[in-house]
Amino acid sequence: MTRFSERTLVEAKVSVAPAPASPHPSATLALTSAATAVALMTYTAPMVTLPDVAADLHTPLSAQAWLLNGTPLGLAALLLVAGSLADDYGRRRIFVAGTLALGLTTALGALTSSTWLFTLARIAQGAASAALLASSLGLIVHAFPSPRGRLHATGVWGAFVSGGIAVGPLLSGALPSWRVSYGVLGTAAVLVAALSARLLTESRAPRGGRPDLAGAVTFGLALVALVAALTLGRDGWLRAPVELLLLASVVLLAVFVAVERRARTPMIDLGLLRHRRFLASSSSGLFTGLAVIGLFSFLPALLQQTVGLSAMDTAWLFLLWSGLSFAVALQARRLAGRVPPRWQLAIGFLLHAAGVLTMLGSLDAGSWVRLLPGLVVAGIGSGLLNAALPLLAVESVPAARAAMGSGAQQTFRYIGSCAGVALTIAIATSSGSGLAHGADIAMLVSAALALVAAASVVALREH
């Protein structure tokens, strides 16, 4: 295994050497934030239109997890790969290619006519989103070299993660159909890509050697197998396809570790796994996906089916959660120097758990009003998470590998998301007492996972 300390010293020496700053730091922040918002809008678009999409594509209940899990599958499989390639090949190049690909695949998604074609389009959208999300933080670190500037920029970027989550369902609910919303989002992504090609400055990690393509292929295939197994496991964990996929993921991960130990310029420095800050970043991303994204991805559909709200009414209701998340994430940079990112994460998880617990019984009572206090508290918690996660991600690795650090944290986030969505759907739809009772059980599980996350982040304090 490559020694982290040796590589860190080498990269640190390179990173402190004067580097030409981006001539357009404000444009860099604006374009990376805009592309991030579009990616998250695309990600969350099916949250309030899931019943309409399923009806239009004739998707059975057992396959609806695929409608939600297509994008996180592409994200989880390629985020770390994209981050490493961005550092080596050029962050601007990967960012522009990913943003353009997101626009084209989203527009194509509007034309699909079956569940599997829609799922394939969503996976492609996830892969494109992986390229722009992983490279965007690398571009920001290059454009804002000072700690103060980087703190401000990552705070704004994290706020636009929440902003995209907020606007996506609202846009989908407001437009005449989910197909029109995909056309609008695809057009927006293409416009951002065109502006980025003109205004962004190229940057890359100053390390020699060839990109770790063998590591990229084995890691990507391992995650595809794992996420596919998590999604198919809803219909039975002991079935042969699920077991074979899990076995394949384990074997491929073992091959990946062997490749990384021998690579001259590995995709990820395995020595990072000994460092508590990197572990805190990765585990926080994983639990954010499991506890937060998993529940809130399917809760709007549950609300429509149990309380009878329309897609637009549901979007407005959940804007309370996602809008507060955006506002809190935008202001959380004021906590810098007072509250470390690790403690922000712990508080965020605790607030999510508290908010979710206050929502218990709301769907069974048929009252959306009873959801309001919980959405407020959970929204504040989500904002703290979205502000602290990107900052901890870039702080947990050498500056020259910022895109890789971002990709690693977000990879765990969307692996957790895939598992969380599958788990939420399985719990909510398997209860013999109906969807409302199943939703309460799913909320209890989400709260418990958030409490475990808070405890783990606190335990991973640096010595």
Side-chain angles (χ1 to χ4, degrees):
M1 181 182 295
T2 305
R3 288 189 174 275
F4 172 70
S5 57
E6 294 174 358
R7 180 170 290 112
T8 301
L9 288 173
V10 173
E11 293 182 341
K13 290 176 181 178
V14 175
S15 65
V16 297
S22 170
H24 304 290
S26 297
T28 299
L29 180 57
L31 290 169
T32 53
S33 297
T36 296
V38 173
L40 269 297
M41 289 165 68
T42 304
Y43 179 91
T44 57
M47 284 174 59
V48 297
T49 59
L50 181 61
D52 293 338
V53 174
D56 197 9
L57 301 179
H58 308 289
T59 308
L61 183 62
S62 60
Q64 286 186 17
W66 282 109
L67 301 182
L68 292 172
N69 266 354
T71 298
L73 172 57
L75 278 162
L78 289 180
L79 265 165
L80 186 54
V81 175
S84 183
L85 292 178
D87 284 332
D88 289 330
Y89 271 129
R91 294 154 187 152
R92 172 183 172 275
R93 179 181 298 175
I94 299 298
F95 178 83
V96 172
T99 307
L100 178 61
L102 176 64
L104 297 177
T105 54
T106 302
L108 288 174
L111 305 176
T112 56
S113 57
S114 68
T115 299
W116 285 108
L117 285 175
F118 180 80
T119 300
L120 289 174
R122 293 283 290 171
I123 292 172
Q125 291 161 27
S129 297
L132 75 89
L133 287 173
S135 56
S136 60
L137 276 177
L139 286 166
I140 286 173
V141 168
H142 175 71
F144 296 88
S146 71
R148 183 179 179 84
R150 187 174 303 169
L151 174 66
H152 166 75
T154 55
V156 171
W157 186 88
F160 272 82
V161 171
S162 299
I165 293 172
V167 177
L170 197 61
L171 178 69
S172 298
L175 292 174
S177 73
W178 64 270
R179 295 183 187 275
V180 174
S181 68
Y182 270 50
V184 170
L185 290 171
T187 302
V190 171
L191 290 175
V192 174
L195 290 172
S196 300
R198 294 188 60 184
L199 297 177
L200 293 184
T201 301
E202 186 60 281
S203 67
R204 55 175 54 88
R207 57 175 201 158
R210 298 177 180 178
D212 181 19
L213 296 181
V217 171
T218 53
F219 188 78
L221 290 175
L223 287 186
V224 169
L226 175 61
V227 174
L230 292 174
T231 304
L232 291 174
R234 178 193 176 278
D235 298 321
W237 292 102
L238 298 180
R239 294 184 302 136
V242 177
E243 293 180 345
L244 287 174
L245 285 168
L246 288 173
L247 178 62
S249 67
V250 171
V251 172
L252 286 166
L253 281 175
V255 174
F256 170 72
V257 170
V259 168
E260 295 304 280
R261 286 179 171 178
R262 299 174 184 273
R264 181 182 175 185
T265 53
M267 187 173 71
I268 182 172
D269 187 346
L270 297 178
L272 288 168
L273 297 176
R274 302 194 209 105
H275 290 256
R276 290 172 176 257
R277 181 173 290 188
F278 183 80
L279 289 175
S281 171
S282 300
S283 64
S284 296
L286 177 67
F287 278 105
T288 297
L290 276 171
V292 181
I293 301 176
L295 176 67
F296 280 98
S297 292
F298 193 59
L299 193 56
L302 286 172
L303 191 62
Q304 292 178 54
Q305 296 175 48
T306 56
V307 181
L309 294 181
S310 67
M312 192 62 190
D313 289 338
T314 308
W316 279 115
L317 180 62
F318 274 80
L319 183 62
L320 180 62
W321 168 72
S322 53
L324 271 172
S325 177
F326 171 77
V328 171
L330 199 58
Q331 296 300 318
R333 66 182 185 275
R334 301 180 187 278
L335 298 174
R338 304 174 185 173
V339 182
R342 183 170 55 85
W343 283 105
Q344 288 185 47
L345 290 172
I347 295 169
F349 283 123
L350 289 174
L351 288 174
H352 171 80
V356 167
L357 290 175
T358 64
M359 294 191 289
L360 291 174
S362 302
L363 275 63
D364 200 20
S367 173
W368 61 267
V369 177
R370 286 183 53 182
L371 288 170
L372 297 181
L375 290 174
V376 169
V377 176
I380 295 172
S382 178
L384 290 174
L385 292 175
N386 286 334
L389 280 170
L391 182 59
L392 188 60
V394 298
E395 286 183 347
S396 65
V397 297
R401 303 306 314 278
M404 184 275 292
S406 170
Q409 181 257 113
Q410 293 183 83
T411 295
F412 284 101
R413 177 174 178 146
Y414 292 107
I415 291 174
S417 171
C418 289
V421 166
L423 181 64
T424 300
I425 293 177
I427 293 173
T429 59
S430 300
S431 173
S433 302
L435 281 176
H437 183 259
D440 281 346
I441 300 174
M443 290 179 192
L444 285 171
V445 171
S446 175
L449 289 170
L451 292 174
V452 171
S456 67
V457 172
V458 172
L460 286 170
R461 63 184 183 276
E462 293 184 84
H463 294 303

